[in-house]
């Protein structure tokens, strides 16, 4: 919008970086002038903001700002590079004719005819109150659709593992900005809470798995040590048997040695069983985790299907409120701009001050 010609009704903002208190908004008056601090009225109508910005250093040359300090007044010369100028607010767009809410619409940079029609609540018979559809107002339907889209954004983010919401569908709805921001804020809070809850659950599952793995490792280490003891006891039994054959060891000593060997083997078996139980426990935990994740995905997919159905139902009820081009002839809509008149397409960019005329034929 750098080349956009300023006109009465636009508001420009001037800032003095060295003295912010002197900055102000200046409305372009009916005579095409703005009242610039230090120099007074300057004609800007018909000129671009870039042209006016380029002229400011010349106009402000030699000007000083009086700054009051503890030691008295100080005169500070205005430096051109410390002066900033921008458009603070553009003139509104006006929509007249066969739209539900004709009148003035705030202009946004990049606004198209389709977006302006949506802000005027779509093509339809003008009314001072919300029309009803089977006893439900369009406002109610839009509120329900907005809540549905917010829930859908949360479910989609959870299903895809995204950390941020995709609110593009919600942003396209013709609802009050504060209502949209409130829905997005609450949806982001729900997403954050659900992500945190799932993170805590995953952390708990990870701790259980680590406990099972530690049990396996401890059991296998114990088995190694006990197996070595059993081998030592077996060697001792073989030694006592050799001594007994020579009459150098008693039968009681041999019995005691075999008993110690058998007990060592029992401990080895117990350690092996403990390791196997740990492995079974780990597999059960892994399976439970996989089943839990699958169940969660199925729940989210089911919720998305339900939300898609609700969204389709609401959009069908709202009809051309959300699709202003349906049933209308684009060539029948006219745009009046600075003395010129031309047919408009729904993607035609609008300019500040445009007047859009929607004929009754668009209702057909």
């Amino acid at each position: 919008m750098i080349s956009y010609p300023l006109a009465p009704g636009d508001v420009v903002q001037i800032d003095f970086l060295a003295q912010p208190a002197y900055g102000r908004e200046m409305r372009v008056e009916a005579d095409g002038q703005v009242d610039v601090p230090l120099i007074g009225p300057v004609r800007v109508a018909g000129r671009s903001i870039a042209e006016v910005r380029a002229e400011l250093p010349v106009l402000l040359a030699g000007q000083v700002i009086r700054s009051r300090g503890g030691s008295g007044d100080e005169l500070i010369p205005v430096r051109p590079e410390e002066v900033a100028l921008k458009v603070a607010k553009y003139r509104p767009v006006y929509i007249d004719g066969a739209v539900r809410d004709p009148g003035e619409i705030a202009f946004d940079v990049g606004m198209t005819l389709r977006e302006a029609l949506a802000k005027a609540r779509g093509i339809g018979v003008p009314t001072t109150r919300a029309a009803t559809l089977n006893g439900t107002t369009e406002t109610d339907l839009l509120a329900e659709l907005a809540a549905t889209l917010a829930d859908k954004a949360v479910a989609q983010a959870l299903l895809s593992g995204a950390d941020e919401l995709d609110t593009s569908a919600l942003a396209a709805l013709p609802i009050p900005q504060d209502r949209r921001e409130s829905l997005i804020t609450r949806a982001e809070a729900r997403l954050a809470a659900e992500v945190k809850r799932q993170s805590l659950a995953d952390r708990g599952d990870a701790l259980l798995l680590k406990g099972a793995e530690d049990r396996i490792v401890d059991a296998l280490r114990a088995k190694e040590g006990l197996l070595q003891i059993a081998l030592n006891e077996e060697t001792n039994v073989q030694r006592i048997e050799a001594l007994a054959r020579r009459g150098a060891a008693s039968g009681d000593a041999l019995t005691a040695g075999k008993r110690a060997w058998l007990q060592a083997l029992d401990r080895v078996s117990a350690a092996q069983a403990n390791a196997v139980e740990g492995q079974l426990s780990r597999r059960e935990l892994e399976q439970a985790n996989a089943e839990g994740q699958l169940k969660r995905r199925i729940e989210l997919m089911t919720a998305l299907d339900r939300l898609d159905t609700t969204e389709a139902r609401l959009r069908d009820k709202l009809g051309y409120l959300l699709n202003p081009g349906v049933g209308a002839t684009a060539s029948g809509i006219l745009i009046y701009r600075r003395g010129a008149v031309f047919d408009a397409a729904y993607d035609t960019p609008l300019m500040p001050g445009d007047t859009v005329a929607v004929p009754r034929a668009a209702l057909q």
Side-chain angles (χ1 to χ4, degrees):
M1 298 287 290
I2 294 179
S3 61
Y4 160 72
L6 296 169
D10 289 325
V11 177
V12 295
Q13 170 80 33
I14 187 170
D15 290 301
F16 297 87
L17 303 184
Q19 291 291 325
Y22 276 76
R24 70 178 66 172
E25 289 187 350
M26 305 174 295
R27 183 181 180 86
V28 182
E29 302 298 341
D31 59 1
Q33 298 189 104
V34 294
D35 188 14
V36 180
L38 304 178
I39 56 177
V42 174
R43 183 169 184 78
V44 298
R47 306 169 64 190
S48 70
I49 191 70
E51 292 172 340
V52 178
R53 188 183 293 130
E55 187 184 15
L56 274 182
V58 177
L59 298 176
L60 291 169
Q63 299 297 323
V64 295
I65 295 176
R66 184 183 300 276
S67 176
R68 298 184 181 278
S71 57
D73 292 352
E74 179 183 0
L75 298 179
I76 302 175
V78 176
R79 299 180 183 276
E81 65 273 13
E82 294 180 348
V83 180
L85 188 72
K86 65 180 181 180
V87 178
K89 184 179 180 181
Y90 292 98
R91 289 174 292 154
V93 170
Y94 301 91
I95 295 190
D96 188 24
V99 291
R100 284 186 173 85
D101 195 6
E104 179 180 304
I105 293 177
F107 175 80
D108 295 322
V109 175
M111 176 185 286
T112 64
L113 174 60
R114 186 181 301 276
E115 292 165 348
L117 290 173
K119 286 190 174 184
R121 298 179 53 241
I123 295 173
V125 178
T127 178
T128 57
R129 61 183 180 83
T132 61
L133 298 173
N134 296 326
T136 303
T137 67
E138 290 175 348
T139 301
D140 294 336
L141 291 174
L142 278 173
E144 185 179 354
L145 178 57
T148 298
L149 292 177
D151 291 341
K152 186 175 175 180
V154 174
Q156 288 173 329
L158 291 172
L159 190 60
S160 63
D163 294 330
E164 297 182 356
L165 295 175
D166 178 3
T167 58
S168 55
L170 192 58
L173 284 187
I175 60 175
Q177 183 62 24
D178 57 346
R179 172 63 176 164
R180 188 187 345 268
E181 291 175 353
S182 176
L183 283 170
I184 292 175
T185 298
R186 282 185 285 176
E188 288 174 339
R190 291 204 309 274
L191 175 61
E194 183 60 25
V195 169
K196 183 177 181 179
R197 186 199 67 77
Q198 190 58 47
S199 175
L200 292 174
D202 291 343
R203 191 180 306 170
D205 292 341
L207 289 174
L208 291 175
L209 278 173
K210 187 177 184 305
E213 291 171 353
D214 290 344
R215 179 182 176 185
I216 295 170
V217 171
D218 292 342
L220 291 175
R221 287 176 178 172
K223 177 185 173 182
E224 290 179 3
L226 292 171
L227 186 58
Q228 184 60 51
I229 292 174
L231 290 174
N232 292 339
E233 293 295 345
E234 182 181 11
T235 301
N236 187 50
V237 168
Q238 292 172 351
R239 182 181 62 78
I240 294 175
E241 286 177 338
L243 291 174
R245 285 194 294 271
R246 297 196 301 270
S250 65
D252 291 340
L254 181 59
T255 300
K258 289 182 177 181
R259 184 182 299 112
W261 179 30
L262 292 174
Q263 290 173 345
L265 290 175
D266 287 342
R267 288 193 290 271
V268 171
S269 297
Q272 175 63 27
N274 195 19
V276 170
E277 289 178 2
Q279 291 169 344
L280 290 174
S281 177
R282 180 180 62 185
R283 280 197 291 270
E284 289 173 355
L285 288 171
E286 290 173 343
Q287 182 176 356
N289 290 346
E291 291 176 351
Q293 292 175 1
L294 179 60
K295 180 181 178 182
R296 177 60 175 161
R297 287 188 64 83
I298 291 175
E299 290 175 347
L300 288 171
M301 292 172 68
T302 301
L304 276 175
D305 287 342
R306 185 172 62 254
L307 291 168
D308 284 338
T309 301
T310 302
E311 178 187 358
R313 172 179 59 81
L314 292 170
R315 288 187 181 277
D316 183 62
K317 284 187 175 182
L318 287 163
Y320 52 76
L321 171 66
L322 300 181
N323 301 285
V326 176
T329 303
S331 60
I333 300 178
L334 301 177
I335 293 180
Y336 295 80
R337 178 180 298 165
R338 296 196 298 274
V341 183
F342 56 91
D343 290 335
Y346 291 110
D347 292 330
T348 298
L350 297 182
M351 296 290 288
D354 282 354
T355 296
V356 178
V358 181
R360 286 191 174 274
L363 293 171
Q364 300 176 356

